[in-house]
Protein backbone atom coordinates (compact mmCIF):
# COMPACT_ATOMS: atom_id res chain seq x y z
CA UNK A 1 0.00 0.00 0.00
CA UNK A 2 1.14 3.55 -0.76
CA UNK A 3 0.28 6.29 1.72
CA UNK A 4 -0.19 10.00 1.01
CA UNK A 5 -0.60 13.17 3.03
CA UNK A 6 -3.07 15.81 1.81
CA UNK A 7 -2.48 19.43 2.87
CA UNK A 8 -5.93 21.03 3.17
CA UNK A 9 -7.39 24.49 3.79
CA UNK A 10 -11.02 25.20 4.55
CA UNK A 11 -13.43 27.81 5.80
CA UNK A 12 -15.44 26.02 8.47
CA UNK A 13 -18.49 28.29 8.52
CA UNK A 14 -20.78 25.92 6.63
CA UNK A 15 -19.61 22.70 8.29
CA UNK A 16 -20.22 20.85 11.54
CA UNK A 17 -16.50 20.52 12.10
CA UNK A 18 -13.93 18.23 10.54
CA UNK A 19 -15.00 14.83 11.88
CA UNK A 20 -17.50 12.68 9.98
CA UNK A 21 -20.85 12.56 11.82
CA UNK A 22 -24.19 10.99 11.07
CA UNK A 23 -26.72 13.47 9.68
CA UNK A 24 -24.21 16.36 9.65
CA UNK A 25 -22.28 18.14 6.91
CA UNK A 26 -18.54 17.89 7.69
CA UNK A 27 -15.27 18.72 5.96
CA UNK A 28 -13.91 15.18 6.22
CA UNK A 29 -17.04 13.75 4.61
CA UNK A 30 -16.88 16.25 1.74
CA UNK A 31 -13.24 15.48 0.98
CA UNK A 32 -13.74 11.73 1.30
CA UNK A 33 -16.64 11.82 -1.14
CA UNK A 34 -14.64 13.76 -3.74
CA UNK A 35 -11.52 11.65 -3.24
CA UNK A 36 -13.50 8.43 -3.75
CA UNK A 37 -15.05 9.82 -6.92
CA UNK A 38 -11.72 10.90 -8.42
CA UNK A 39 -9.94 7.64 -7.57
CA UNK A 40 -13.04 5.51 -8.26
CA UNK A 41 -12.73 3.39 -5.15
CA UNK A 42 -13.89 3.46 -1.51
CA UNK A 43 -11.33 5.06 0.79
CA UNK A 44 -10.72 6.19 4.34
CA UNK A 45 -8.97 9.37 5.41
CA UNK A 46 -7.55 10.31 8.81
CA UNK A 47 -7.02 13.94 9.84
CA UNK A 48 -4.36 15.36 12.13
CA UNK A 49 -7.10 16.30 14.57
CA UNK A 50 -10.64 17.59 14.92
CA UNK A 51 -11.82 21.12 14.42
CA UNK A 52 -15.20 22.09 15.85
CA UNK A 53 -18.22 23.53 14.08
CA UNK A 54 -17.36 26.89 12.51
CA UNK A 55 -13.58 26.59 13.06
CA UNK A 56 -11.31 27.13 10.05
CA UNK A 57 -8.02 25.62 8.90
CA UNK A 58 -5.23 27.19 6.88
CA UNK A 59 -3.44 23.85 7.16
CA UNK A 60 -5.09 20.56 8.05
CA UNK A 61 -3.30 17.31 7.19
CA UNK A 62 -5.04 14.04 6.35
CA UNK A 63 -3.65 10.71 5.16
CA UNK A 64 -5.07 8.03 2.87
CA UNK A 65 -3.61 4.98 1.18
CA UNK A 66 -3.90 3.22 -2.18
CA UNK A 67 -2.79 -0.10 -3.58
CA UNK A 68 -1.09 1.68 -6.49
CA UNK A 69 0.66 5.04 -6.84
CA UNK A 70 -1.04 8.18 -8.07
CA UNK A 71 0.27 11.41 -9.64
CA UNK A 72 -0.03 13.96 -6.82
CA UNK A 73 -0.23 17.06 -9.03
CA UNK A 74 -2.96 15.49 -11.13
CA UNK A 75 -4.89 14.42 -8.03
CA UNK A 76 -4.73 17.91 -6.49
CA UNK A 77 -6.02 19.45 -9.74
CA UNK A 78 -8.93 17.02 -10.02
CA UNK A 79 -9.94 17.35 -6.38
CA UNK A 80 -9.93 21.15 -6.49
CA UNK A 81 -12.06 20.99 -9.62
CA UNK A 82 -14.95 19.30 -7.80
CA UNK A 83 -14.56 20.37 -4.16
CA UNK A 84 -16.74 23.26 -2.97
CA UNK A 85 -15.13 26.71 -2.99
CA UNK A 86 -14.66 26.75 0.79
CA UNK A 87 -12.32 23.71 0.71
CA UNK A 88 -8.97 23.57 -1.10
CA UNK A 89 -6.22 20.97 -1.45
CA UNK A 90 -2.83 22.72 -1.27
CA UNK A 91 -0.65 19.73 -2.05
CA UNK A 92 -0.31 15.95 -1.88
CA UNK A 93 2.85 14.18 -0.75
CA UNK A 94 3.88 10.55 -0.69
CA UNK A 95 4.94 9.38 2.78
CA UNK A 96 6.19 6.24 4.47
CA UNK A 97 3.61 3.47 4.65
CA UNK A 98 3.29 3.75 8.45
CA UNK A 99 3.14 7.58 8.56
CA UNK A 100 0.12 8.79 10.51
CA UNK A 101 -1.45 12.26 10.15
CA UNK A 102 -2.54 12.37 13.78
CA UNK A 103 0.00 10.42 15.79
CA UNK A 104 3.15 11.54 13.94
CA UNK A 105 2.40 15.26 14.25
CA UNK A 106 5.07 16.84 16.46
CA UNK A 107 3.59 20.31 16.72
CA UNK A 108 0.40 22.20 15.91
CA UNK A 109 -0.32 25.93 15.84
CA UNK A 110 -3.50 27.98 16.07
CA UNK A 111 -4.37 31.65 15.59
CA UNK A 112 -7.40 33.30 17.14
CA UNK A 113 -8.51 36.59 15.55
CA UNK A 114 -10.36 39.41 17.29
CA UNK A 115 -11.55 42.58 15.58
CA UNK A 116 -12.38 45.45 17.93
CA UNK A 117 -14.01 47.59 15.26
CA UNK A 118 -17.04 46.31 13.39
CA UNK A 119 -16.21 45.15 9.87
CA UNK A 120 -18.29 43.21 7.35
CA UNK A 121 -15.08 41.78 5.89
CA UNK A 122 -14.29 39.82 9.05
CA UNK A 123 -17.76 38.31 9.36
CA UNK A 124 -17.45 34.57 10.03
CA UNK A 125 -13.63 34.76 10.28
CA UNK A 126 -13.02 36.85 13.40
CA UNK A 127 -14.60 37.57 16.78
CA UNK A 128 -16.00 41.08 17.09
CA UNK A 129 -15.21 42.17 20.64
CA UNK A 130 -15.43 45.92 21.19
CA UNK A 131 -14.44 46.26 24.87
CA UNK A 132 -10.98 47.68 25.53
CA UNK A 133 -8.32 45.09 26.38
CA UNK A 134 -4.96 45.42 28.10
CA UNK A 135 -2.78 43.46 25.66
CA UNK A 136 0.33 43.81 27.81
CA UNK A 137 -1.43 42.12 30.73
CA UNK A 138 -2.77 39.41 28.41
CA UNK A 139 0.75 38.67 27.22
CA UNK A 140 2.03 38.53 30.78
CA UNK A 141 -0.64 35.94 31.54
CA UNK A 142 0.02 34.05 28.29
CA UNK A 143 3.69 33.67 29.27
CA UNK A 144 2.51 31.56 32.24
CA UNK A 145 1.24 28.94 29.75
CA UNK A 146 4.70 28.09 28.41
CA UNK A 147 6.22 24.71 29.13
CA UNK A 148 4.79 21.34 30.11
CA UNK A 149 1.62 21.86 32.14
CA UNK A 150 -1.70 20.24 32.97
CA UNK A 151 -4.42 22.08 31.01
CA UNK A 152 -7.49 20.31 32.37
CA UNK A 153 -8.97 23.68 33.34
CA UNK A 154 -9.18 24.54 29.64
CA UNK A 155 -10.43 21.23 28.26
CA UNK A 156 -13.98 20.21 27.44
CA UNK A 157 -15.26 18.02 30.26
CA UNK A 158 -16.36 15.07 28.12
CA UNK A 159 -13.22 14.09 26.25
CA UNK A 160 -11.42 10.80 25.72
CA UNK A 161 -7.81 11.46 26.72
CA UNK A 162 -5.41 9.68 29.06
CA UNK A 163 -4.02 12.93 30.45
CA UNK A 164 -4.26 16.71 30.09
CA UNK A 165 -0.53 17.40 29.80
CA UNK A 166 0.53 19.63 26.90
CA UNK A 167 3.77 21.43 26.13
CA UNK A 168 3.18 24.95 24.84
CA UNK A 169 6.15 26.58 23.12
CA UNK A 170 4.51 29.80 21.90
CA UNK A 171 1.68 31.80 23.47
CA UNK A 172 1.48 35.48 22.58
CA UNK A 173 -0.84 38.27 21.47
CA UNK A 174 0.07 40.67 18.68
CA UNK A 175 -1.56 43.27 16.46
CA UNK A 176 -1.97 42.46 12.77
CA UNK A 177 -3.39 45.37 10.81
CA UNK A 178 -6.53 46.21 12.82
CA UNK A 179 -6.92 42.78 14.41
CA UNK A 180 -5.73 41.38 17.72
CA UNK A 181 -4.31 37.88 17.21
CA UNK A 182 -3.46 35.14 19.70
CA UNK A 183 -0.79 32.73 18.44
CA UNK A 184 -0.36 29.46 20.32
CA UNK A 185 1.85 26.50 19.42
CA UNK A 186 2.11 23.15 21.25
CA UNK A 187 2.85 19.47 20.84
CA UNK A 188 -0.86 18.72 21.34
CA UNK A 189 -4.13 20.45 22.16
CA UNK A 190 -7.16 19.33 24.14
CA UNK A 191 -10.74 19.68 22.88
CA UNK A 192 -11.89 23.27 23.26
CA UNK A 193 -8.55 24.29 24.75
CA UNK A 194 -7.66 27.29 22.59
CA UNK A 195 -11.10 28.89 22.81
CA UNK A 196 -11.13 28.48 26.60
CA UNK A 197 -7.62 29.94 26.86
CA UNK A 198 -8.63 32.96 24.80
CA UNK A 199 -11.80 33.51 26.83
CA UNK A 200 -9.85 33.42 30.09
CA UNK A 201 -7.10 35.68 28.76
CA UNK A 202 -9.77 38.18 27.73
CA UNK A 203 -10.87 38.24 31.38
CA UNK A 204 -7.29 39.20 32.25
CA UNK A 205 -7.32 41.90 29.56
CA UNK A 206 -10.54 43.32 31.04
CA UNK A 207 -8.92 43.39 34.52
CA UNK A 208 -11.39 40.83 35.80
CA UNK A 209 -8.52 38.47 36.63
CA UNK A 210 -5.05 39.16 37.96
CA UNK A 211 -1.99 37.27 36.72
CA UNK A 212 -1.92 35.41 40.02
CA UNK A 213 -5.56 34.38 39.64
CA UNK A 214 -4.85 33.22 36.09
CA UNK A 215 -2.06 30.97 37.39
CA UNK A 216 -4.42 29.65 40.07
CA UNK A 217 -6.91 28.69 37.34
CA UNK A 218 -4.22 26.62 35.59
CA UNK A 219 -3.35 24.92 38.87
CA UNK A 220 -7.01 24.24 39.70
CA UNK A 221 -7.37 21.60 36.94
CA UNK A 222 -11.08 22.38 36.84
CA UNK A 223 -12.91 23.65 33.76
CA UNK A 224 -15.38 25.57 35.94
CA UNK A 225 -12.50 27.73 37.22
CA UNK A 226 -11.62 29.09 33.76
CA UNK A 227 -13.43 31.63 31.60
CA UNK A 228 -15.97 30.98 28.87
CA UNK A 229 -15.02 29.59 25.48
CA UNK A 230 -14.99 32.32 22.85
CA UNK A 231 -16.98 31.80 19.60
CA UNK A 232 -15.53 29.41 16.99
CA UNK A 233 -15.38 31.74 14.00
CA UNK A 234 -12.16 33.45 15.12
CA UNK A 235 -10.18 30.22 15.38
CA UNK A 236 -7.84 28.91 12.68
CA UNK A 237 -5.70 25.78 12.69
CA UNK A 238 -2.65 27.27 10.94
CA UNK A 239 0.14 24.69 11.00
CA UNK A 240 0.80 20.98 11.55
CA UNK A 241 4.42 19.80 11.59
CA UNK A 242 5.97 16.35 11.11
CA UNK A 243 9.47 14.83 11.13
CA UNK A 244 11.00 15.27 7.68
CA UNK A 245 11.97 11.60 7.48
CA UNK A 246 8.35 10.48 7.00
CA UNK A 247 8.25 12.11 3.55
CA UNK A 248 9.46 10.15 0.53
Amino acid sequence: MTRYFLDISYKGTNYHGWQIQHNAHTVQAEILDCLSKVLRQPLEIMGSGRTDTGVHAKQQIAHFELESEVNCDDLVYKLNSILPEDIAINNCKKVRENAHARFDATERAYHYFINQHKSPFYEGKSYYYKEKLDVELMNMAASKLLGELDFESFSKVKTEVNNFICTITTAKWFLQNDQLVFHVRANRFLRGMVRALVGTLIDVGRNRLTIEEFVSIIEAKNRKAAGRAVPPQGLFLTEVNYPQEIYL
Side-chain angles (χ1 to χ4, degrees), residues 1 19 27 49 61 85 104 116 118 149 159 178 181 188 234:
M1 300 292 281
Q19 189 88 1
V27 179
I61 304 295
E85 292 188 357
D104 284 339
Q116 297 207 270
K118 187 177 180 180
L149 297 170
T159 181
D178 58 345
V181 186
R188 68 188 285 243

Side-chain angles (χ1 to χ4, degrees), residues 4 39 66 68-78 92:
Y4 297 90
L39 296 173
L66 299 169
S68 57
E69 294 192 18
V70 67
N71 182 292
C72 279
D73 291 339
D74 186 51
L75 178 62
V76 169
Y77 174 79
K78 289 180 178 178
C92 170

Side-chain angles (χ1 to χ4, degrees), residues 187-201:
N187 65 327
R188 68 188 285 243
F189 287 91
L190 305 167
R191 288 194 65 195
M193 177 175 164
V194 179
R195 290 165 59 195
L197 284 173
V198 172
T200 311
L201 288 167

Side-chain angles (χ1 to χ4, degrees), residues 125-187:
K125 296 180 290 184
S126 183
Y127 175 34
Y128 173 43
Y129 188 83
K130 61 184 179 181
E131 293 192 38
K132 187 175 180 180
L133 296 170
D134 188 326
V135 180
E136 184 178 353
L137 267 182
M138 291 161 72
N139 267 324
M140 289 174 63
S143 70
K144 305 299 182 182
L145 301 170
L146 299 176
E148 185 180 86
L149 297 170
D150 188 310
F151 288 96
E152 186 172 0
S153 289
F154 305 97
S155 172
K156 286 186 176 179
V157 177
K158 295 181 180 180
T159 181
E160 297 175 2
V161 293
N162 295 324
N163 65 78
F164 298 91
I165 304 297
C166 306
T167 302
I168 293 182
T169 54
T170 302
K172 62 182 180 181
W173 291 90
F174 62 93
L175 288 172
Q176 179 176 287
N177 300 321
D178 58 345
Q179 285 181 293
L180 181 60
V181 186
F182 181 56
H183 176 205
V184 61
R185 181 184 298 271
N187 65 327

